[in-house]
């Protein structure tokens, strides 16, 4: 056992004694030499009584003893133990966790119960200064951890919670509320219960019990865990989390039990006690919100925290004895004038030795708390001392607020740390050196916040806090050339920059119409404006509620940052053109994306697969081309003359098909489509040559145009090259009434190009917007087109400038 705080001081005692003896004998020798010159040896005793050898030896022994005792005191002697009591302020807070079977549902990762335990462990520091208790419950409840300030014990108990701890199984929300009412003290302190459950109350007694707790002044805050869709309960209850369950808990009818989040019950319980209900949230933000509400609105009371056994310091006795010896040594054969001088020196010496005794109680307790590894408690004690100064009408010492801020920073309570340091900054305006230290501490605080945000992959917020940190370091350095701030500025800036660069991949790209299909942006090819979106669900279409998007600038350029905790990674992007890019209704523009890696899926061909091997910069070309289109019109040739007359309208009751085998009949394996109601059609197909034929829906209908025997067309299409307008005339007497109606509409102003006295080929040029059905057909064939197209895109020339402002992505 070590009886001294600084045992190394003891080794200085022989050294000091030796040096003092040498100085003593050397000085006595000099004194004797000078006396011989002035006084004869026989007269020494009568003329100079203080030269008595006995007095000199006694004074020497007293001085050496006093020096030894002083060094002994400095070494910090201590033996025996005592319990130190530290006062702090806080609330009584009990957390009740549902451990019924339904908490095994995996609609939260890895399941509901494990999610709750993870969130509580991560957010526990936000409840610092409060007494915490833990109740676990299902159909019965159990006090797992009584109210305590030992949060480590609370966390250890929390980690051991399992569904199998309490039987019988089931959910009774009234039980934990009853248990909590027995645990809470009966004084006027704030009493809050946080009930964490999926909301299933099989006994239905929770609301009634909540109303009883409200009369006792206990607030019941509720947190919901799970989803509205719910999930199945794995069976058995100890099924491994790293495996997919195959068996599930069943009801009496043999059906799988589906457990859903019951928000209504939890909301009613919270309302009954004038509290709040929140959802747990993806990262536990609901729990964090309730901790903040309880902290701000709860009535606080004095609590007592007993530290572990502390050794008792015993230096006071040795210091007092040394002081007495020095007084005695000076009293031996000295004059009154010398005694007065000795008294003054002794008083100053005593004040210097006992300066530690005059420290305020809260400051001394705060220093002890820091030594014991409790920075949050130390910070609260410093704040308590500042409040005491304000109550007494004195100015708050900025050093106290600085120490409070440093303690809270050490305890990772960054909000209170920032508040304390800002107060210290305002209070130290008349002390440049101290203000420089405060600014350096603020920079360190923002550095810690930046690292925390980077751990959460929140790069945008981390950049803002890091800019604040740099500002504080620069200001500290400019005030008094603070070398520590300058060192922090240089080294930490490099660390943060490296962390950000390791997480961010900047992607720049261009959307343009690749008319010649060479994959390069040529000067004659126009740029296109588009929305670039993150295709989260990999379906090729944008879901605006969950899939973020950015807009290109007017030159079709775009840039954004993708943030990932690790590389390599991948994502899928989609693009949607602005409406103003569609100059021709007969033209269908489609993007040409690179083929995705195998195994190939047709649905994956509808977006841009981006493989990010590492952070840095990557170019994303997005060329669009006009798709191969077969277009034309079908009209009701009522007079069977093969010409489109003014009184003849379009006909939609036919089927058009691509005759692959040359039999001029619609077979099951051949692509077919129908025109719109006005007879117009627009069909996207892969590049190539096609035989387009027609088949009326009515067997009595007659095809009057074209005149050839097979009533079909042979046409060729390619990208940027659609077919000529293909016309089909059909005589269908069943459509006579609709034809008369169409004639009336034509006379009222419908602008149809006339084909009278001429062949249809030179008289009709249909132009219309695509219908919804046509858009679906385009999407269907669009996938097949992309499977056959290889990307030829190359990087843009080096003189292309991309927009400075970038959006941010996230690798979830």
């Amino acid at each position: 056992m070590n009886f001294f705080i600084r045992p190394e001081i003891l080794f200085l005692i022989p050294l000091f004694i030796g040096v003092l003896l040498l100085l003593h004998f050397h000085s006595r020798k000099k004194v004797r030499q000078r006396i011989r010159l002035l006084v004869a040896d026989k007269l020494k005793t009568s003329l100079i009584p203080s030269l008595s050898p006995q007095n000199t030896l006694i004074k020497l022994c007293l001085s050496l003893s006093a020096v030894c005792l002083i060094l002994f005191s400095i070494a910090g002697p201590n033996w025996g133990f005592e319990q130190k009591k530290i006062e702090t302020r806080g609330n009584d807070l009990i957390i009740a966790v549902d451990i019924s079977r339904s908490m095994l549902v995996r609609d939260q990762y890895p399941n509901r119960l494990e999610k709750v335990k993870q969130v509580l462990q991560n957010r526990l520091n936000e409840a610092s200064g409060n007494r915490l208790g833990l109740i676990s419950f299902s159909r019965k409840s159990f006090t797992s951890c009584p109210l305590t300030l030992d949060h480590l014990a609370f966390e250890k108990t929390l980690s051991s919670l399992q569904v199998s701890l309490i039987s019988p199984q089931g959910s009774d929300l009234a039980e934990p509320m009853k248990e909590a009412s027995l645990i809470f003290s009966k004084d006027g302190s704030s009493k809050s219960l946080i009930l964490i459950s999926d909301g299933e109350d099989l006994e239905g007694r929770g609301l009634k019990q909540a109303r009883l707790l409200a009369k006792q002044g206990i607030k019941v805050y509720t947190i919901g865990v799970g989803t509205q869709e719910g999930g199945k309960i794995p069976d058995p209850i100890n099924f491994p989390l790293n495996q997919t369950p195959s068996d599930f808990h069943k009801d009496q009818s043999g059906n799988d039990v589906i457990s859903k989040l019951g928000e209504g019950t939890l909301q009613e319980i919270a309302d009954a006690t004038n509290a709040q209900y929140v959802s747990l949230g993806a990262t536990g933000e609901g729990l964090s919100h309730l901790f903040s509400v309880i902290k701000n609105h709860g009535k606080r009371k004095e609590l007592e925290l007993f530290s572990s056994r502390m050794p008792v310091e015993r230096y006071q006795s040795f210091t007092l004895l040394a002081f007495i010896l020095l007084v005695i040594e000076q009293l031996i054969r000295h004059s009154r004038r010398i005694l007065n001088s000795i008294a003054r020196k002794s008083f100053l010496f005593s004040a210097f030795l006992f300066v530690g005794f005059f420290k305020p109680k809260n400051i001394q307790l705060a220093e002890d708390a820091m030594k014991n590894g409790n920075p949050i408690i130390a910070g609260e004690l410093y704040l308590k001392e500042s409040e005491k100064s304000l109550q007494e009408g004195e100015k708050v010492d900025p050093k106290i607020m600085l120490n409070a801020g440093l303690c809270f920073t050490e305890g990772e309570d960054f909000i209170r740390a920032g508040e304390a340091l800002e107060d210290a900054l305002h209070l130290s305006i008349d002390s440049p050196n101290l203000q420089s230290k405060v600014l350096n501490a603020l920079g360190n605080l923002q550095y810690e916040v930046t690292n925390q945000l980077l751990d959460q992959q929140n790069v945008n917020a981390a950049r803002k806090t890091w800019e604040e940190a740099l500002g504080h370091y620069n200001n500290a350095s400019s005030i008094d050339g603070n070398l520590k701030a300058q060192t922090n500025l240089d080294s930490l800036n490099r660390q943060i920059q490296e962390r950000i660069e390791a997480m961010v991949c900047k992607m720049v790209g261009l959307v343009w119409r690749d008319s010649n299909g060479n994959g390069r942006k040529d000067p004659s090819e126009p740029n296109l404006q588009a929305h670039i979106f993150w295709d989260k669900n990999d379906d090729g279409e944008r879901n605006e509620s969950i899939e973020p998007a950015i807009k290109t600038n007017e030159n079709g350029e775009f840039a954004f940052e993708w943030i990932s905790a690790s590389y390599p990674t991948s994502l899928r992007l989609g693009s949607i053109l602005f409406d103003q890019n569609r100059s021709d209704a007969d033209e269908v523009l489609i993007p040409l994306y690179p083929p995705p890696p195998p195994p190939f899926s047709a649905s994956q061909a509808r977006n841009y697969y981006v493989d990010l091997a590492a952070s840095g910069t990557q170019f994303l070309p997005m060329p669009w081309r006009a798709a191969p289109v077969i277009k034309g019109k079908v009209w009701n040739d009522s007079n069977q003359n093969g010409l489109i007359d003014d009184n003849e309208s379009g006909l939609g009751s036919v089927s058009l098909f691509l005759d692959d085998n040359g039999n001029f009949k619609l077979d099951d394996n051949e692509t077919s489509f129908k025109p719109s109601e006005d007879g117009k059609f627009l069909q996207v197909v892969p590049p190539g040559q096609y035989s387009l034929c027609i088949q009326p829906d009515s067997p009595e209908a007659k095809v009057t145009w074209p005149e050839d025997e097979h009533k079909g067309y042979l046409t060729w299409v390619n990208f940027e090259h659609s077919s000529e307008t293909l016309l089909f005339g059909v005589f269908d007497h069943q459509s006579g009434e609709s034809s008369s109606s169409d004639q009336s509409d034509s006379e009222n102003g419908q602008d149809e190009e006339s084909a009278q006295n001429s062949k249809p080929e030179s008289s009709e040029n249909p132009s219309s917007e695509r219908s919804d059905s046509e858009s679906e057909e385009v999407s269907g064939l669009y996938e097949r087109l992309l499977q056959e197209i290889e990307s030829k895109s190359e990087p843009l020339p080096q003189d292309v400038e991309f927009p400075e402002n970038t959006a941010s992505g996230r690798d979830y």
Side-chain angles (χ1 to χ4, degrees):
M1 182 177 179
N2 194 353
F3 291 98
F4 293 91
I5 298 176
R6 294 173 290 276
E8 64 275 7
I9 301 295
L10 298 177
F11 296 103
L12 297 177
I13 294 178
L15 177 63
F16 269 77
I17 291 176
V19 171
L20 290 176
L21 287 174
L22 289 175
L23 291 175
H24 172 76
F25 290 123
H26 178 72
S27 64
R28 298 309 300 172
K29 182 179 179 181
K30 291 289 185 181
V31 169
R32 285 193 298 269
Q33 291 175 354
R34 292 176 181 175
I35 290 176
R36 286 195 191 101
L37 298 175
L38 299 174
V39 182
D41 291 339
K42 296 180 180 180
L43 301 175
K44 286 181 182 180
T45 304
S46 57
L47 295 177
I48 311 175
S50 61
L51 289 178
S52 170
Q54 294 84 0
N55 289 347
T56 302
L57 181 60
I58 292 173
K59 288 166 64 68
L60 175 62
C61 292
L62 291 173
S63 299
L64 292 179
S65 299
V67 170
C68 291
L69 290 172
I70 291 172
L71 292 175
F72 203 77
S73 300
I74 295 175
N78 63 84
W79 58 83
F81 294 92
E82 67 176 352
Q83 291 291 113
K84 279 199 172 183
K85 183 175 69 173
I86 300 176
E87 293 183 352
T88 183
R89 301 171 68 87
N91 298 312
D92 283 349
L93 175 59
I94 295 178
I95 299 176
V97 179
D98 188 349
I99 59 171
S100 61
R101 185 190 292 267
S102 60
M103 293 294 285
L104 295 175
V105 175
R106 299 190 179 185
D107 53 358
Q108 299 284 322
Y109 181 81
N111 63 31
R112 294 175 181 176
L113 180 58
E114 292 301 320
K115 179 70 173 181
V116 170
K117 291 162 63 175
Q118 292 172 7
V119 167
L120 278 171
Q121 290 170 346
N122 294 336
R123 300 278 183 173
L124 202 58
N125 64 307
E126 299 178 17
S128 59
N130 298 313
R131 288 203 305 174
L132 295 182
L134 180 64
I135 294 176
S136 54
F137 71 94
S138 55
R139 195 179 295 274
K140 298 292 183 181
S141 63
F142 176 73
T143 302
S144 301
C145 179
L147 283 169
T148 178
L149 279 167
D150 189 351
H151 290 190
L152 291 178
F154 178 92
E155 187 174 356
K156 184 177 181 180
T157 305
L158 174 69
S159 62
S160 64
L161 289 186
Q162 300 291 337
V163 168
S164 58
L165 287 179
I166 299 178
S167 60
Q169 285 293 315
S171 294
D172 187 355
L173 300 183
E175 285 297 319
M177 288 187 274
K178 286 182 180 179
E179 190 78 15
S181 65
L182 299 176
I183 297 176
F184 282 123
S185 58
K186 304 303 180 183
D187 58 15
S189 63
S190 173
K191 297 182 280 288
S192 301
L193 170 66
I194 296 181
L195 184 64
I196 306 177
S197 173
D198 53 22
E200 291 189 348
D201 188 11
L202 300 182
E203 301 297 326
R205 301 185 297 146
L207 182 58
K208 181 179 179 181
Q209 185 63 36
R211 290 169 179 160
L212 294 176
L213 263 64
K215 296 179 181 179
Q216 302 174 26
I218 301 175
K219 288 183 176 292
V220 182
Y221 298 88
T222 54
I223 297 179
V225 186
T227 62
Q228 298 290 347
E229 295 78 15
K232 301 177 182 179
I233 304 173
D235 196 20
I237 59 176
N238 58 352
F239 194 86
L241 290 174
N242 59 353
Q243 299 180 19
T244 302
S246 56
D247 294 327
F248 300 94
H249 183 59
K250 303 183 184 300
D251 58 18
Q252 296 179 351
S253 302
N255 300 320
D256 292 336
V257 175
I258 304 296
S259 173
K260 301 180 180 180
L261 172 61
E263 290 184 318
T265 302
L266 297 175
Q267 183 70 62
E268 290 176 350
I269 291 174
D271 292 342
T273 61
N274 196 25
Q276 294 184 23
Y277 162 76
V278 295
S279 176
L280 183 64
T283 60
E285 56 268 22
L287 178 65
S288 179
H289 170 72
L290 290 187
F291 279 156
S292 176
V293 170
I294 294 171
K295 173 184 175 181
N296 294 332
H297 297 93
K299 181 180 177 182
R300 304 172 73 84
K301 71 168 189 176
E302 294 289 338
L303 300 176
E304 291 182 350
L305 169 66
F306 289 91
S307 67
S308 58
R309 291 198 309 166
M310 297 293 294
V312 180
E313 296 185 4
R314 307 290 184 176
Y315 69 90
Q316 297 91 341
S317 301
F318 298 99
T319 305
L320 180 60
L321 182 57
F323 174 73
I324 294 173
L325 292 177
L326 289 175
V327 171
I328 295 173
E329 188 270 339
Q330 291 293 323
L331 289 176
I332 296 176
R333 305 290 297 273
H334 275 63
S335 65
R336 184 182 300 274
R337 182 180 57 82
I338 296 178
L339 289 178
N340 291 335
S341 175
I342 292 173
R344 289 194 299 269
K345 293 178 180 178
S346 299
F347 175 78
L348 295 175
F349 177 73
S350 301
F352 174 76
L353 284 180
F354 290 92
V355 67
F357 291 117
F358 300 104
K359 285 185 179 180
K361 178 181 178 182
N362 291 322
I363 301 298
Q364 187 64 49
L365 292 176
E367 293 176 354
D368 292 342
M370 282 299 293
K371 291 179 183 178
N372 296 333
N374 298 314
I376 297 297
I377 294 177
E380 290 174 346
L381 289 167
Y382 279 121
L383 291 182
K384 189 175 181 180
E385 182 63 27
S386 68
E387 293 173 0
K388 181 180 178 182
S389 299
L390 291 174
Q391 292 173 358
E392 296 175 354
E394 300 176 357
K395 182 180 178 181
V396 177
D397 187 351
K399 293 181 181 179
I400 293 178
M401 301 307 297
L402 172 59
N403 289 337
L406 294 175
C407 291
F408 286 132
T409 302
E410 179 72 18
E412 297 185 356
D413 189 344
F414 298 141
I415 295 178
R416 286 201 284 179
E419 294 172 352
L421 292 175
E422 288 292 342
D423 290 341
L425 188 63
H426 295 308
L427 293 170
S428 61
I429 192 170
D430 297 329
S431 177
N433 291 336
L434 181 59
Q435 196 168 49
S436 176
K437 294 179 181 179
V438 176
L439 287 168
N440 183 66
L442 279 169
N444 292 338
L445 169 64
Q446 295 300 332
Y447 168 75
E448 295 293 339
V449 174
T450 301
N451 272 319
Q452 189 178 74
L453 291 171
L454 288 178
D455 291 339
Q456 302 168 3
Q457 302 184 42
N458 193 346
V459 173
N460 286 337
R463 282 175 171 153
K464 294 179 181 178
T465 55
W466 182 237
E467 288 176 2
E468 295 178 8
L470 294 179
H472 293 315
Y473 286 139
N474 283 322
N475 291 335
S477 180
S478 63
I479 289 178
D480 61 351
N482 192 321
L483 295 179
K484 185 178 291 185
Q486 188 61 43
T487 302
N488 290 340
L489 182 63
D490 297 337
S491 62
L492 300 182
N493 191 35
R494 183 171 58 255
Q495 295 175 26
I496 294 296
Q497 195 62 32
E498 289 175 354
R499 283 202 66 184
I500 292 177
E501 290 177 354
M503 297 172 62
V504 174
C505 183
K506 183 176 181 180
M507 285 178 279
V508 295
L510 179 68
V511 182
W512 82 98
R513 180 165 178 174
D514 190 13
S515 302
N516 56 18
N518 65 354
R520 292 182 59 88
K521 172 65 172 67
D522 297 327
S524 60
E525 295 174 339
N527 297 328
L528 302 176
Q529 292 179 265
H531 293 276
I532 310 299
F533 65 92
W534 176 16
D535 191 9
K536 283 186 177 182
N537 54 14
D538 198 18
D539 63 352
E541 299 177 358
R542 186 191 174 199
N543 185 339
E544 295 186 7
S545 62
I546 62 171
E547 296 177 342
I550 60 171
K551 296 180 181 178
T552 64
N553 62 15
E554 59 184 8
N555 296 322
E557 300 164 344
F558 65 89
F560 65 93
E561 291 178 343
W562 185 260
I563 302 166
S564 177
S566 61
Y567 290 91
T569 187
S570 62
L571 71 153
R572 292 188 177 274
L573 301 176
S575 58
I576 302 174
L577 292 183
F578 290 5
D579 290 338
Q580 59 263 35
N581 293 313
R582 293 175 52 190
S583 58
D584 188 349
D586 287 347
E587 206 170 49
V588 179
L589 297 182
I590 61 172
L592 304 185
Y593 298 135
F600 185 77
S601 170
S603 64
Q604 295 175 349
R606 300 181 64 184
N607 51 32
Y608 196 149
Y609 178 86
V610 182
D611 187 15
L612 303 178
S615 59
T617 302
Q618 184 160 336
F619 175 67
L620 304 176
M622 288 195 178
W624 287 64
R625 299 195 73 190
V629 172
I630 296 177
K631 61 183 179 179
K633 181 178 180 180
V634 182
W635 88 94
N636 186 11
D637 191 8
S638 57
N639 56 12
Q640 305 183 51
N641 65 349
L643 303 174
I644 301 179
D645 300 325
D646 291 340
N647 62 340
E648 294 175 342
S649 62
L651 183 65
S653 57
V654 297
S655 294
L656 299 165
F657 63 94
L658 303 178
D659 186 23
D660 296 333
N661 55 16
N663 65 353
F664 303 103
K665 294 181 180 179
L666 177 57
D667 300 322
D668 293 338
N669 62 339
E670 293 177 339
T671 302
S672 65
F673 56 92
K674 297 184 75 65
S676 60
E677 293 182 0
D678 61 358
K680 297 177 182 178
F681 59 88
L682 188 72
Q683 181 69 10
V684 176
V685 294
Q689 182 172 287
Y690 295 95
S691 174
L692 180 65
C693 299
I694 187 170
Q695 177 175 300
D697 293 350
S698 173
E700 299 178 359
K702 175 184 177 183
V703 180
T704 62
W705 187 265
E707 295 178 335
D708 67 301
E709 177 184 357
H710 303 297
K711 307 299 182 183
Y713 289 97
L714 186 64
T715 187
W716 177 88
V717 293
N718 200 350
F719 289 103
E720 302 292 335
H721 181 81
S722 61
S723 72
E724 60 183 357
T725 301
L726 306 178
L727 301 176
F728 290 91
V730 177
F731 171 67
D732 187 356
H733 68 277
Q734 294 183 356
S735 302
E737 295 181 0
S738 61
S739 298
S740 299
S741 176
D742 293 338
Q743 178 181 356
S744 174
D745 292 340
S746 176
E747 292 174 354
N748 287 331
Q750 182 177 0
D751 187 14
E752 191 83 45
E753 292 188 8
S754 176
Q756 191 172 6
N757 298 324
S758 63
K759 293 299 180 184
E761 292 92 329
S762 61
S763 62
E764 182 67 21
N765 183 20
S767 175
S768 67
E769 296 184 0
R770 300 192 304 267
S771 65
D772 293 339
S773 61
E774 290 169 343
S775 298
E776 294 176 359
E777 293 170 354
V778 169
S779 297
L781 190 54
Y782 172 77
E783 295 175 0
R784 295 196 295 274
L785 277 172
L786 294 177
Q787 297 177 43
E788 301 175 6
I789 297 173
E790 294 185 359
S791 174
K792 300 179 181 178
S793 301
E794 299 179 9
L796 292 176
Q798 295 299 319
D799 57 351
V800 174
E801 296 183 359
F802 294 98
E804 292 295 332
N805 295 329
T806 59
S808 296
R810 179 63 60 83
D811 183 1
Y812 289 92

